[in-house]
Structures are given as structure tokens and as C-alpha cells.
């Protein structure tokens, strides 16, 4: 294995909980209730598509104009960015900083493949930005996760064949994208929500760099 690609929300930091808080409030304002089970299908999915899924869930798919939808997505993002204000370097998930530092020591390049347009801001707040050779710009994508495009672009940023890259993900859409381009997939979370992953772990403290490089 020659390189690592990391999802952000739910892998590098527990920002998934802030997405959930912000979407839950926006949904409530338009009379839609969402719970944590429904929230699983928003993980790894773009802001716009997340809103569409919430509206479909509440039976309000064709209720709003394009301008109203854009305003709602912006409102959710403002709330989310407010919640991000609380982030500090201690909010990097367990084992993250140690694994990134070990990858640097072994000259293994790392990239970020996140659907989030807030990824650069979050990496700065966590003081993790310097560990990465690149972040895929989600605006540059024709298709989001579960399409493999974002992971193929991450491998290109490192000039490495996807088959020699390990991808780390917390969402089913991400595992599907990683496997869709032939990478080795490590799921972080519950095995039932990470079907097709080559291995599932609870957090990054469970796996050492020596073991990863032997894969
Ligand atoms: P933003 P990931 C994804 O990040 C989140 O899982 C998903 O819930 C969110 O809607 C998406 O980013 C877009 O985020 O609204 O900040 O642009 O898991 O791919 O790192
Ligand atoms: Mg994620």
C-alpha cells in the first residue's frame, strides 16, 4: 500500500453529530421530523442531496422553489458553521493524529476525500491540514459518493494507482465509492452500516501503520 485517503466527517472528526443537529432543526422548521436512523443515509451525501432526501422523507419533495431550496441549504450551513466554532484540536477522533504522523514518518502520502465544502476550515481548526498532500474539491465532481470519482481524484492527487490505496470511511456511500475504484476499504463504525468494507474497526487506535503497510 502506497497511500491513504480519509473521509472527514465521522473519520477525522465527529462532525457528523453537528450535521445532524443542524439538519434536524431545519427539518423541524418545515414540519419534518428526522431521527438518527434516517440520518445514516445523509452521511457522505452532499448538502443539496441531503436536503432533497429530507424533503422526500417528509413527503414535501416538490413543495419548494429552487430559490427556497438554496436558502434552506444556506441556513443549515450557517447553523453548522456556528456549531463548528466549538471545534478544537482535541476533537480529532481517537488515533487520527497518531496515524497521520506515522504515515508522514513512513513517507505515505495522505489525502482527504470529503463531500464537505467546509473540509479546509475543519482541518485548520483541528490543526491537521499539514498532514495532507491534498484535499479533493467537492465542487470539481460530476458525481458525489457513492460514485468512486472523489476517491479516484484523491489517488490522482498522490499519483498512485487506486489499487495501492487504503480508504477510510464511516458511511456506506463512501465504502461503495472506495470499493468502486478498487481501493482497500476500512470502515469505521458498525459493520451493518458498512457493507462491503474489507475490514471494520471502531476507531483508528485499533490499527497500527505496520499492519496497514502489510496489506
Ligand atoms: P457540507 P464526508 C459529508 O462529509 C457529510 O458526511 C455529509 O453529512 C454532508 O452533507 C456533506 O459532507 C456535505 O457537507 O454541507 O459541509 O458541504 O463524510 O464526506 O466527509
Ligand atoms: Mg463521513
Amino acid at each position: 500500500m502506497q497511500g491513504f485517503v480519509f473521509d472527514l466527517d465521522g473519520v477525522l472528526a465527529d462532525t457528523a453529530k453537528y450535521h445532524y443537529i443542524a439538519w434536524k432543526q431545519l427539518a423541524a422548521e418545515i414540519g419534518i421530523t428526522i431521527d438518527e436512523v434516517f440520518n445514516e443515509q445523509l452521511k457522505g451525501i452532499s448538502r443539496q442531496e441531503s436536503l432533497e432526501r429530507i424533503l422526500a422523507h417528509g413527503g414535501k419533495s416538490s413543495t419548494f422553489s429552487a430559490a427556497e431550496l438554496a436558502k434552506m441549504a444556506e441556513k443549515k450551513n450557517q447553523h453548522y458553521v456556528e456549531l463548528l466554532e466549538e471545534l478544537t484540536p482535541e476533537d480529532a477522533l481517537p488515533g487520527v493524529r497518531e496515524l497521520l504522523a506515522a504515515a508522514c514518518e513512513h513517507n505515505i502520502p495522505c489525502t482527504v476525500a470529503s463531500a464537505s465544502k467546509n473540509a479546509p476550515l475543519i482541518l485548520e481548526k483541528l490543526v491537521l491540514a499539514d498532514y495532507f498532500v491534498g484535499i479533493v474539491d467537492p465542487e470539481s465532481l460530476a458525481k458525489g459518493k457513492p460514485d468512486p470519482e472523489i476517491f479516484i481524484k484523491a489517488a490522482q492527487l498522490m499519483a498512485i494507482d487506486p489499487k495501492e490505496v487504503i480508504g477510510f470511511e464511516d458511511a456506506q456511500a463512501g465504502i461503495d465509492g472506495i470499493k468502486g475504484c478498487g481501493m482497500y476499504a476500512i470502515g469505521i463504525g458498525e459493520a451493518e452500516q458498512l457493507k462491503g468494507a474489507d475490514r471494520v474497526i471502531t476507531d483508528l487506535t485499533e490499527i497500527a501503520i505496520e499492519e496497514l503497510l502489510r496489506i
Side-chain angles (χ1 to χ4, degrees), residues 9 16 19-20 23 32-59 61 76 115 144-146 169-176 192-195:
D9 292 315
H19 280 295
Y20 177 54
W23 278 130
I32 298 174
T33 306
I34 62 169
D35 61 16
E36 293 202 31
V37 175
F38 172 79
N39 188 57
E40 276 305 309
Q41 47 166 297
L42 304 183
K43 290 186 177 173
I45 302 301
S46 74
R47 197 180 306 165
Q48 212 56 42
E49 201 185 327
S50 297
L51 178 56
E52 285 164 20
R53 288 189 186 196
I54 290 167
L55 295 175
H57 176 70
S61 280
K76 179 266 172 180
K145 301 171 188 177
E169 255 291 351
D170 72 317
Q172 186 64 58
I175 295 292
D176 294 343
E192 312 84 74
Q193 280 143 14
L194 298 162
K195 294 187 183 74

Short mmCIF file of all heavy atoms in Angstrom, two decimals, residues 9 16 19-20 23 32-59 61 76 115 144-146 169-176 192-195:
data_model
loop_
_atom_site.label_atom_id
_atom_site.label_comp_id
_atom_site.label_asym_id
_atom_site.label_seq_id
_atom_site.Cartn_x
_atom_site.Cartn_y
_atom_site.Cartn_z
N ASP A 9 -15.89 13.86 7.82
CA ASP A 9 -16.94 13.78 8.83
C ASP A 9 -17.11 12.34 9.29
O ASP A 9 -17.45 11.46 8.49
CB ASP A 9 -18.28 14.28 8.26
CG ASP A 9 -18.27 15.77 7.96
OD1 ASP A 9 -17.79 16.53 8.82
OD2 ASP A 9 -18.73 16.16 6.89
N ALA A 16 -20.13 14.67 12.23
CA ALA A 16 -21.43 14.13 11.79
C ALA A 16 -22.54 14.53 12.77
O ALA A 16 -23.66 14.82 12.36
CB ALA A 16 -21.34 12.61 11.66
N HIS A 19 -23.74 18.02 11.84
CA HIS A 19 -24.61 17.98 10.65
C HIS A 19 -26.02 17.58 11.07
O HIS A 19 -27.01 18.17 10.64
CB HIS A 19 -24.10 16.95 9.62
CG HIS A 19 -22.96 17.43 8.76
ND1 HIS A 19 -23.09 18.47 7.85
CD2 HIS A 19 -21.70 16.98 8.63
CE1 HIS A 19 -21.94 18.64 7.22
NE2 HIS A 19 -21.07 17.76 7.67
N TYR A 20 -26.09 16.56 11.93
CA TYR A 20 -27.39 16.03 12.36
C TYR A 20 -28.18 17.10 13.12
O TYR A 20 -29.37 17.33 12.84
CB TYR A 20 -27.19 14.77 13.21
CG TYR A 20 -28.47 14.19 13.76
CD1 TYR A 20 -29.54 13.87 12.91
CD2 TYR A 20 -28.62 13.94 15.13
CE1 TYR A 20 -30.71 13.33 13.42
CE2 TYR A 20 -29.79 13.40 15.63
CZ TYR A 20 -30.83 13.10 14.78
OH TYR A 20 -31.99 12.57 15.29
N TRP A 23 -29.37 19.76 10.55
CA TRP A 23 -30.46 19.28 9.66
C TRP A 23 -31.74 19.06 10.44
O TRP A 23 -32.83 19.36 9.95
CB TRP A 23 -30.06 17.98 8.97
CG TRP A 23 -29.21 18.12 7.76
CD1 TRP A 23 -28.05 17.45 7.51
CD2 TRP A 23 -29.44 18.94 6.59
NE1 TRP A 23 -27.54 17.81 6.29
CE2 TRP A 23 -28.37 18.72 5.71
CE3 TRP A 23 -30.44 19.85 6.24
CZ2 TRP A 23 -28.27 19.37 4.47
CZ3 TRP A 23 -30.35 20.51 5.02
CH2 TRP A 23 -29.28 20.27 4.15
N ILE A 32 -40.89 18.65 9.37
CA ILE A 32 -40.42 17.28 9.10
C ILE A 32 -39.58 16.82 10.28
O ILE A 32 -38.72 17.56 10.77
CB ILE A 32 -39.59 17.22 7.78
CG1 ILE A 32 -40.47 17.64 6.59
CG2 ILE A 32 -39.02 15.82 7.56
CD1 ILE A 32 -39.71 17.74 5.26
N THR A 33 -39.85 15.58 10.72
CA THR A 33 -39.07 15.02 11.83
C THR A 33 -38.06 14.02 11.28
O THR A 33 -38.43 13.15 10.50
CB THR A 33 -40.01 14.28 12.82
OG1 THR A 33 -41.04 15.19 13.21
CG2 THR A 33 -39.26 13.80 14.05
N ILE A 34 -36.81 14.17 11.68
CA ILE A 34 -35.82 13.15 11.30
C ILE A 34 -35.20 12.57 12.57
O ILE A 34 -35.12 13.24 13.59
CB ILE A 34 -34.72 13.69 10.34
CG1 ILE A 34 -33.89 14.81 10.98
CG2 ILE A 34 -35.30 14.15 9.01
CD1 ILE A 34 -32.64 15.18 10.17
N ASP A 35 -34.80 11.29 12.49
CA ASP A 35 -34.15 10.67 13.64
C ASP A 35 -32.78 10.13 13.23
O ASP A 35 -32.38 10.25 12.06
CB ASP A 35 -35.03 9.57 14.25
CG ASP A 35 -35.32 8.45 13.25
OD1 ASP A 35 -34.62 8.36 12.21
OD2 ASP A 35 -36.24 7.66 13.50
N GLU A 36 -32.07 9.53 14.19
CA GLU A 36 -30.70 9.08 13.91
C GLU A 36 -30.65 7.95 12.90
O GLU A 36 -29.67 7.81 12.18
CB GLU A 36 -30.02 8.68 15.22
CG GLU A 36 -29.82 9.89 16.11
CD GLU A 36 -28.73 9.72 17.15
OE1 GLU A 36 -27.77 8.99 16.89
OE2 GLU A 36 -28.88 10.33 18.22
N VAL A 37 -31.71 7.14 12.83
CA VAL A 37 -31.73 6.04 11.86
C VAL A 37 -31.79 6.64 10.45
O VAL A 37 -31.00 6.30 9.56
CB VAL A 37 -32.94 5.10 12.10
CG1 VAL A 37 -33.02 4.03 11.01
CG2 VAL A 37 -32.83 4.46 13.48
N PHE A 38 -32.70 7.61 10.23
CA PHE A 38 -32.79 8.28 8.94
C PHE A 38 -31.47 9.01 8.62
O PHE A 38 -30.98 9.00 7.49
CB PHE A 38 -33.95 9.29 8.93
CG PHE A 38 -33.97 10.14 7.69
CD1 PHE A 38 -34.48 9.64 6.49
CD2 PHE A 38 -33.41 11.42 7.70
CE1 PHE A 38 -34.45 10.41 5.33
CE2 PHE A 38 -33.37 12.19 6.54
CZ PHE A 38 -33.90 11.69 5.36
N ASN A 39 -30.87 9.62 9.65
CA ASN A 39 -29.65 10.40 9.45
C ASN A 39 -28.51 9.59 8.84
O ASN A 39 -27.66 10.15 8.15
CB ASN A 39 -29.21 11.01 10.79
CG ASN A 39 -28.07 11.98 10.63
OD1 ASN A 39 -28.17 12.95 9.88
ND2 ASN A 39 -26.95 11.70 11.28
N GLU A 40 -28.51 8.27 9.07
CA GLU A 40 -27.46 7.41 8.49
C GLU A 40 -27.36 7.60 6.97
O GLU A 40 -26.29 7.57 6.39
CB GLU A 40 -27.72 5.93 8.79
CG GLU A 40 -27.22 5.48 10.14
CD GLU A 40 -25.75 5.77 10.39
OE1 GLU A 40 -24.92 5.42 9.54
OE2 GLU A 40 -25.44 6.38 11.43
N GLN A 41 -28.52 7.79 6.32
CA GLN A 41 -28.47 7.90 4.86
C GLN A 41 -28.07 9.29 4.36
O GLN A 41 -27.95 9.52 3.16
CB GLN A 41 -29.76 7.43 4.20
CG GLN A 41 -31.02 7.98 4.82
CD GLN A 41 -32.19 7.74 3.89
OE1 GLN A 41 -32.23 8.24 2.79
NE2 GLN A 41 -33.13 6.95 4.36
N LEU A 42 -27.80 10.22 5.29
CA LEU A 42 -27.28 11.53 4.87
C LEU A 42 -25.75 11.57 4.93
O LEU A 42 -25.12 12.47 4.37
CB LEU A 42 -27.83 12.64 5.77
CG LEU A 42 -29.35 12.76 5.88
CD1 LEU A 42 -29.72 13.96 6.74
CD2 LEU A 42 -30.00 12.90 4.50
N LYS A 43 -25.15 10.56 5.57
CA LYS A 43 -23.69 10.57 5.76
C LYS A 43 -22.97 10.40 4.42
O LYS A 43 -23.27 9.47 3.67
CB LYS A 43 -23.27 9.49 6.75
CG LYS A 43 -23.70 9.83 8.17
CD LYS A 43 -23.17 8.84 9.17
CE LYS A 43 -23.58 9.26 10.59
NZ LYS A 43 -23.20 8.24 11.57
N GLY A 44 -22.06 11.31 4.14
CA GLY A 44 -21.29 11.25 2.90
C GLY A 44 -22.01 11.86 1.71
O GLY A 44 -21.46 11.94 0.61
N ILE A 45 -23.25 12.28 1.91
CA ILE A 45 -24.09 12.81 0.82
C ILE A 45 -24.02 14.34 0.82
O ILE A 45 -24.02 14.95 1.89
CB ILE A 45 -25.56 12.33 1.04
CG1 ILE A 45 -25.62 10.79 1.10
CG2 ILE A 45 -26.51 12.87 0.00
CD1 ILE A 45 -25.11 10.07 -0.11
N SER A 46 -23.98 14.95 -0.37
CA SER A 46 -23.80 16.40 -0.45
C SER A 46 -24.94 17.16 0.24
O SER A 46 -26.02 16.61 0.48
CB SER A 46 -23.73 16.85 -1.91
OG SER A 46 -25.02 16.79 -2.48
N ARG A 47 -24.67 18.44 0.51
CA ARG A 47 -25.65 19.28 1.19
C ARG A 47 -26.99 19.31 0.45
O ARG A 47 -28.05 19.10 1.03
CB ARG A 47 -25.08 20.71 1.30
CG ARG A 47 -25.76 21.57 2.31
CD ARG A 47 -25.11 22.95 2.32
NE ARG A 47 -23.66 22.90 2.52
CZ ARG A 47 -22.82 23.91 2.28
NH1 ARG A 47 -23.31 25.07 1.84
NH2 ARG A 47 -21.52 23.78 2.48
N GLN A 48 -26.91 19.58 -0.87
CA GLN A 48 -28.13 19.69 -1.67
C GLN A 48 -28.92 18.39 -1.70
O GLN A 48 -30.15 18.37 -1.53
CB GLN A 48 -27.74 20.11 -3.10
CG GLN A 48 -28.78 20.97 -3.81
CD GLN A 48 -29.12 22.21 -3.02
OE1 GLN A 48 -28.25 22.89 -2.46
NE2 GLN A 48 -30.41 22.53 -2.92
N GLU A 49 -28.19 17.28 -1.89
CA GLU A 49 -28.88 15.99 -1.95
C GLU A 49 -29.43 15.59 -0.58
O GLU A 49 -30.49 14.96 -0.49
CB GLU A 49 -27.95 14.90 -2.50
CG GLU A 49 -28.75 13.72 -3.04
CD GLU A 49 -27.90 12.56 -3.50
OE1 GLU A 49 -26.78 12.79 -4.00
OE2 GLU A 49 -28.36 11.42 -3.34
N SER A 50 -28.74 15.99 0.47
CA SER A 50 -29.25 15.70 1.83
C SER A 50 -30.61 16.38 2.01
O SER A 50 -31.55 15.78 2.53
CB SER A 50 -28.27 16.22 2.90
OG SER A 50 -27.03 15.56 2.81
N LEU A 51 -30.68 17.65 1.57
CA LEU A 51 -31.95 18.39 1.70
C LEU A 51 -33.05 17.69 0.89
O LEU A 51 -34.18 17.51 1.38
CB LEU A 51 -31.75 19.84 1.23
CG LEU A 51 -32.98 20.74 1.24
CD1 LEU A 51 -33.62 20.80 2.62
CD2 LEU A 51 -32.62 22.16 0.78
N GLU A 52 -32.71 17.26 -0.33
CA GLU A 52 -33.72 16.56 -1.16
C GLU A 52 -34.21 15.30 -0.46
O GLU A 52 -35.41 14.99 -0.49
CB GLU A 52 -33.11 16.20 -2.53
CG GLU A 52 -32.99 17.41 -3.45
CD GLU A 52 -32.05 17.17 -4.62
OE1 GLU A 52 -31.80 15.99 -4.94
OE2 GLU A 52 -31.57 18.16 -5.21
N ARG A 53 -33.29 14.56 0.17
CA ARG A 53 -33.69 13.32 0.86
C ARG A 53 -34.59 13.62 2.06
O ARG A 53 -35.52 12.89 2.35
CB ARG A 53 -32.45 12.53 1.32
CG ARG A 53 -31.72 11.90 0.16
CD ARG A 53 -30.65 10.94 0.63
NE ARG A 53 -29.88 10.47 -0.52
CZ ARG A 53 -29.08 9.41 -0.51
NH1 ARG A 53 -28.94 8.72 0.59
NH2 ARG A 53 -28.42 9.05 -1.59
N ILE A 54 -34.30 14.73 2.77
CA ILE A 54 -35.13 15.10 3.93
C ILE A 54 -36.54 15.47 3.45
O ILE A 54 -37.54 15.04 4.03
CB ILE A 54 -34.48 16.27 4.71
CG1 ILE A 54 -33.22 15.77 5.42
CG2 ILE A 54 -35.46 16.89 5.70
CD1 ILE A 54 -32.32 16.87 5.97
N LEU A 55 -36.62 16.24 2.36
CA LEU A 55 -37.94 16.64 1.84
C LEU A 55 -38.73 15.41 1.37
O LEU A 55 -39.93 15.30 1.63
CB LEU A 55 -37.78 17.65 0.69
CG LEU A 55 -37.17 19.00 1.10
CD1 LEU A 55 -36.93 19.88 -0.12
CD2 LEU A 55 -38.06 19.73 2.10
N ALA A 56 -38.04 14.47 0.70
CA ALA A 56 -38.71 13.25 0.23
C ALA A 56 -39.22 12.45 1.44
O ALA A 56 -40.35 11.95 1.44
CB ALA A 56 -37.76 12.41 -0.61
N HIS A 57 -38.40 12.40 2.49
CA HIS A 57 -38.76 11.68 3.72
C HIS A 57 -40.03 12.28 4.34
O HIS A 57 -40.88 11.57 4.87
CB HIS A 57 -37.57 11.80 4.68
CG HIS A 57 -37.78 11.20 6.03
ND1 HIS A 57 -37.86 9.84 6.22
CD2 HIS A 57 -37.91 11.78 7.27
CE1 HIS A 57 -38.04 9.60 7.52
NE2 HIS A 57 -38.06 10.75 8.17
N GLY A 58 -40.18 13.63 4.23
CA GLY A 58 -41.35 14.30 4.81
C GLY A 58 -42.48 14.47 3.82
O GLY A 58 -43.45 15.17 4.10
N GLY A 59 -42.36 13.87 2.63
CA GLY A 59 -43.42 13.98 1.61
C GLY A 59 -43.56 15.39 1.06
O GLY A 59 -44.65 15.82 0.68
N SER A 61 -41.36 16.77 -1.41
CA SER A 61 -40.37 16.88 -2.49
C SER A 61 -40.58 18.04 -3.45
O SER A 61 -39.63 18.70 -3.82
CB SER A 61 -40.32 15.59 -3.29
OG SER A 61 -39.55 14.66 -2.59
N LYS A 76 -29.04 25.97 6.83
CA LYS A 76 -28.46 24.80 7.53
C LYS A 76 -26.96 24.96 7.66
O LYS A 76 -26.37 24.70 8.71
CB LYS A 76 -28.82 23.50 6.78
CG LYS A 76 -28.24 22.24 7.41
CD LYS A 76 -26.91 21.86 6.80
CE LYS A 76 -26.24 20.71 7.56
NZ LYS A 76 -24.96 20.33 6.98
N ALA A 115 -17.17 14.98 1.09
CA ALA A 115 -18.21 15.69 0.35
C ALA A 115 -18.39 17.11 0.87
O ALA A 115 -19.09 17.92 0.26
CB ALA A 115 -19.53 14.92 0.49
N GLY A 144 -21.27 12.72 -6.75
CA GLY A 144 -20.79 12.54 -5.38
C GLY A 144 -20.75 11.07 -5.00
O GLY A 144 -21.07 10.19 -5.81
N LYS A 145 -20.36 10.78 -3.74
CA LYS A 145 -20.41 9.42 -3.22
C LYS A 145 -21.87 8.94 -3.36
O LYS A 145 -22.77 9.75 -3.17
CB LYS A 145 -20.00 9.38 -1.74
CG LYS A 145 -18.59 9.91 -1.48
CD LYS A 145 -18.33 10.05 0.02
CE LYS A 145 -17.02 10.77 0.27
NZ LYS A 145 -16.73 11.01 1.69
N PRO A 146 -22.17 7.72 -3.73
CA PRO A 146 -21.31 6.54 -3.78
C PRO A 146 -20.50 6.37 -5.07
O PRO A 146 -19.80 5.38 -5.23
CB PRO A 146 -22.30 5.38 -3.64
CG PRO A 146 -23.55 5.89 -4.27
CD PRO A 146 -23.59 7.36 -3.94
N GLU A 169 -13.48 5.21 5.78
CA GLU A 169 -14.82 5.79 5.65
C GLU A 169 -15.74 5.39 6.78
O GLU A 169 -15.60 4.31 7.34
CB GLU A 169 -15.48 5.28 4.34
CG GLU A 169 -15.53 6.27 3.21
CD GLU A 169 -16.47 7.45 3.42
OE1 GLU A 169 -17.24 7.45 4.38
OE2 GLU A 169 -16.40 8.37 2.60
N ASP A 170 -16.71 6.26 7.10
CA ASP A 170 -17.71 5.91 8.12
C ASP A 170 -19.11 5.74 7.52
O ASP A 170 -20.06 5.50 8.26
CB ASP A 170 -17.79 7.00 9.21
CG ASP A 170 -18.45 8.27 8.69
OD1 ASP A 170 -18.14 8.69 7.55
OD2 ASP A 170 -19.29 8.84 9.40
N ALA A 171 -19.24 5.88 6.19
CA ALA A 171 -20.58 5.84 5.58
C ALA A 171 -20.66 4.78 4.49
O ALA A 171 -19.67 4.54 3.78
CB ALA A 171 -20.93 7.21 5.00
N GLN A 172 -21.82 4.19 4.34
CA GLN A 172 -22.00 3.17 3.29
C GLN A 172 -21.70 3.76 1.91
O GLN A 172 -21.04 3.13 1.07
CB GLN A 172 -23.44 2.63 3.33
CG GLN A 172 -23.67 1.47 2.38
CD GLN A 172 -22.83 0.24 2.75
OE1 GLN A 172 -22.94 -0.26 3.86
NE2 GLN A 172 -21.99 -0.23 1.85
N ALA A 173 -22.15 5.01 1.67
CA ALA A 173 -21.91 5.63 0.35
C ALA A 173 -20.41 5.71 0.08
O ALA A 173 -19.96 5.52 -1.06
CB ALA A 173 -22.53 7.02 0.31
N GLY A 174 -19.63 5.97 1.12
CA GLY A 174 -18.18 6.09 0.96
C GLY A 174 -17.53 4.74 0.72
O GLY A 174 -16.64 4.61 -0.14
N ILE A 175 -17.95 3.71 1.46
CA ILE A 175 -17.40 2.36 1.25
C ILE A 175 -17.69 1.93 -0.19
O ILE A 175 -16.82 1.38 -0.88
CB ILE A 175 -18.02 1.34 2.25
CG1 ILE A 175 -17.63 1.69 3.69
CG2 ILE A 175 -17.62 -0.10 1.89
CD1 ILE A 175 -16.17 1.52 4.05
N ASP A 176 -18.89 2.19 -0.68
CA ASP A 176 -19.23 1.82 -2.06
C ASP A 176 -18.31 2.54 -3.06
O ASP A 176 -17.87 1.95 -4.04
CB ASP A 176 -20.70 2.17 -2.35
CG ASP A 176 -21.67 1.32 -1.52
OD1 ASP A 176 -21.23 0.29 -0.98
OD2 ASP A 176 -22.84 1.71 -1.40
N GLU A 192 -22.88 -3.37 10.13
CA GLU A 192 -24.16 -3.42 9.38
C GLU A 192 -24.31 -2.20 8.47
O GLU A 192 -25.01 -2.25 7.46
CB GLU A 192 -25.40 -3.44 10.28
CG GLU A 192 -25.40 -4.42 11.42
CD GLU A 192 -24.68 -3.88 12.64
OE1 GLU A 192 -25.23 -3.02 13.32
OE2 GLU A 192 -23.54 -4.31 12.89
N GLN A 193 -23.68 -1.07 8.87
CA GLN A 193 -23.81 0.15 8.05
C GLN A 193 -22.63 0.34 7.11
O GLN A 193 -22.50 1.38 6.46
CB GLN A 193 -23.93 1.37 8.97
CG GLN A 193 -25.34 1.53 9.51
CD GLN A 193 -25.34 2.02 10.94
OE1 GLN A 193 -24.34 2.48 11.45
NE2 GLN A 193 -26.48 1.90 11.58
N LEU A 194 -21.75 -0.67 7.01
CA LEU A 194 -20.53 -0.53 6.20
C LEU A 194 -20.33 -1.81 5.37
O LEU A 194 -19.25 -2.40 5.38
CB LEU A 194 -19.34 -0.26 7.13
CG LEU A 194 -19.45 1.03 7.95
CD1 LEU A 194 -18.49 1.02 9.13
CD2 LEU A 194 -19.20 2.26 7.08
N LYS A 195 -21.38 -2.20 4.66
CA LYS A 195 -21.33 -3.46 3.90
C LYS A 195 -20.30 -3.37 2.78
O LYS A 195 -20.22 -2.35 2.09
CB LYS A 195 -22.70 -3.78 3.33
CG LYS A 195 -23.72 -4.07 4.41
CD LYS A 195 -25.04 -4.56 3.87
CE LYS A 195 -26.04 -4.75 4.99
NZ LYS A 195 -26.57 -3.48 5.54
#
